[in-house]
Coordinates of all heavy atoms in Angstrom, one line a residue:
S2 N 159.4 -44.7 65.0 CA 158.0 -44.7 65.4 C 157.5 -43.3 65.7 O 156.3 -43.1 65.7 CB 157.8 -45.7 66.5 OG 158.5 -45.2 67.7
L4 N 158.1 -40.7 63.9 CA 157.8 -39.9 62.7 C 156.4 -39.8 62.3 O 155.9 -38.7 62.0 CB 158.7 -40.5 61.6 CG 158.6 -39.7 60.3 CD1 159.1 -38.2 60.5 CD2 159.5 -40.3 59.2
L32 N 163.6 -32.7 63.0 CA 165.0 -32.6 63.1 C 165.5 -33.1 64.5 O 166.5 -33.9 64.6 CB 165.6 -31.2 62.9 CG 165.4 -30.6 61.5 CD1 165.8 -29.2 61.4 CD2 166.2 -31.4 60.5
S87 N 158.5 -16.5 40.5 CA 159.4 -15.5 41.2 C 159.7 -16.0 42.6 O 160.8 -15.9 43.1 CB 158.7 -14.1 41.2 OG 157.5 -14.2 41.9
V106 N 183.0 -22.5 56.4 CA 183.0 -23.0 57.8 C 182.4 -24.4 57.9 O 182.3 -25.0 59.0 CB 182.1 -22.1 58.7 CG1 182.8 -20.7 58.8 CG2 180.7 -21.9 58.2
I129 N 182.2 -29.5 48.7 CA 183.1 -28.5 49.3 C 184.4 -28.4 48.4 O 184.9 -27.3 48.3 CB 183.4 -28.8 50.7 CG1 182.1 -28.8 51.6 CG2 184.4 -27.9 51.3 CD1 181.3 -27.5 51.6
H133 N 180.7 -26.7 43.8 CA 179.6 -26.9 42.9 C 178.3 -27.3 43.7 O 178.4 -28.1 44.6 CB 179.9 -28.1 41.9 CG 178.8 -28.3 41.0 ND1 177.5 -28.0 41.2 CD2 178.7 -28.9 39.8 CE1 176.7 -28.4 40.2 NE2 177.5 -29.0 39.3

Side-chain angles (χ1 to χ4, degrees):
S2 62
L4 187 58
L32 292 173
S87 61
V106 296
I129 298 299
H133 180 337

